[in-house]
């Protein structure tokens, strides 16, 4: 494909009339942004508008935006789209990533009989950011996680490992209550809870042979244990937050427990798939013979986020007898984008 810049063709020999310049797109508007699509529209002068047969759209991640400044006007752009009524939906062609900043610029083009294109000048460059995963996308992740969750094992406590200094600080500066903090960026890049949801991280997995929490920890030698019913009960809602791995054979599932009607509950209700606390593949709470009974999935590592403050007096703090395995920490861990088990097609 050959592309030539917008210009007037002058031919004294042929007597062909001068070609009108193609209108340059301006006032570009981006709308209906999702994690893997967007709609684009613009204004343009009506002069020579009927000659437009195609639009050329140049999309780059924001860190590459300077490339536009040096773009040769005769180099074909990344997307050649037929001139359809605006706004035009862009999806799939780019394999857009969620929560990523992009730049976009547009040309109008007229396809000639010989297959070449005459194009306008580039429009101004517009910046926008794609959205987080929607509930639809998270449900796809949820369904993938359910496939490998495995059988359910009993649990009796939630636990949180930290350094001794952390618990000393909580006692001295926060009136003995652990406070929610903003979740880090570990897990799926498109997760709507990363960098937004406030909560306290707990674990709940148990060792198969003992039914108790493992003695090793990636996060510190001191462990806070709290009876499961203190955090997870019929007065709380349970949400699926994420499913990921870190270039390893084992996978992580992030769940959120939020007291009914709390700010955390309202946040999750709008963004995350809600799970039935009595019947799901990851973490359940049910009553048997008047006693609350709890189970967790055996084949995934559960990371549980509780969205309200937790007073240390509701549980106990003790030093673990095992090792501190920092290499297993998931703090700001990046998800393996090539794993077929825990990725969906809309992005990473």
């Amino acid at each position: 494909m050959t592309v030539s810049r917008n210009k007037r063709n002058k031919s004294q020999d042929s007597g062909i009339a001068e070609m009108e310049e193609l209108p340059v797109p301006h006032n570009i508007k981006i709308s209906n942004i999702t994690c893997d699509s967007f709609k684009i529209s613009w204004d343009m002068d009506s002069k020579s508008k009927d000659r437009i047969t195609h639009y050329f759209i140049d999309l780059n991640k924001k860190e590459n935006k300077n490339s536009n400044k040096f773009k040769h006007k005769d180099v074909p752009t990344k997307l050649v789209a037929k001139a359809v009524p605006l706004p035009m939906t862009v999806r799939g062609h780019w394999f857009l990533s969620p929560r990523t900043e992009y730049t976009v610029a547009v040309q109008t083009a007229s396809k000639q009989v010989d297959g070449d294109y005459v194009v306008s000048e580039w429009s101004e460059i517009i910046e926008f950011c794609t959205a987080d995963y929607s509930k639809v996308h998270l449900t796809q992740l949820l369904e993938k996680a359910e496939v490998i969750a495995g059988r359910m094992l009993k649990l009796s406590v939630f636990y949180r490992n930290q350094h001794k200094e952390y618990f000393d600080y909580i006692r001295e500066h926060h009136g003995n209550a652990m406070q929610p903090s903003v979740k880090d960026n570990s897990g799926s890049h498109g997760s709507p809870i990363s960098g937004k949801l406030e909560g306290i991280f707990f674990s709940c997995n148990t060792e198969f042979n003992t039914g108790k929490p493992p003695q090793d920890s990636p996060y510190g030698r001191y462990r806070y244990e709290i009876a499961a019913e203190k955090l997870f009960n019929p007065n709380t809602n349970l949400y699926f937050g994420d499913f990921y791995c870190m270039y390893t054979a084992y996978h992580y599932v992030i769940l959120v427990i939020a007291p009914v009607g709390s700010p955390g509950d309202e946040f999750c209700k709008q963004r995350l798939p809600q799970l039935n606390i009595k019947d799901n593949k990851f973490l359940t709470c049910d009553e048997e013979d008047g006693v609350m009974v709890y189970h967790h999935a055996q084949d995934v590592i559960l990371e549980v986020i509780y969205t309200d403050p937790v007073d240390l007096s509701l549980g106990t703090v003790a030093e673990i007898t095992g090792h501190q395995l920092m290499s297993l920490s998931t703090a700001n861990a990046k998800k393996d984008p090539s794993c077929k088990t825990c990725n969906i097609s809309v992005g990473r």
Side-chain angles (χ1 to χ4, degrees), residues 66-137:
N66 289 336
S67 63
N68 280 308
K69 297 179 180 179
F70 307 103
K71 180 177 287 297
H72 192 284
K73 293 296 189 294
D74 293 338
V75 175
T77 54
K78 294 179 180 177
L79 174 64
V80 179
K82 288 186 177 180
V84 296
L86 300 176
M88 180 177 70
T89 299
V90 177
R91 74 166 76 247
H93 303 281
W94 308 111
F95 301 103
L96 288 164
S97 295
R99 200 185 279 200
T100 303
E101 293 183 324
Y102 289 91
T103 63
V104 63
V106 187
Q107 288 177 311
T108 57
S110 177
K111 190 173 185 178
Q112 308 301 293
V113 292
D114 60 1
D116 293 344
Y117 289 86
V118 173
V119 298
S120 72
E121 296 293 326
W122 284 103
S123 70
E124 73 271 29
I125 297 171
I126 297 298
E127 298 180 359
F128 71 99
C129 185
T130 47
D132 297 332
Y133 284 154
S134 67
K135 281 188 180 181
V136 172
H137 301 115

Side-chain angles (χ1 to χ4, degrees), residues 226-264:
I226 182 171
E229 60 265 24
K230 297 287 182 65
L231 300 185
F232 188 31
N233 54 62
N235 295 318
T236 57
N237 284 326
L238 180 66
Y239 298 91
F240 173 85
D242 200 5
F243 177 44
Y244 71 101
C245 72
M246 304 181 299
Y247 304 89
T248 55
Y250 43 90
H251 282 78
Y252 296 83
V253 169
I254 298 178
L255 302 176
V256 182
I257 297 175
V260 174
S262 66

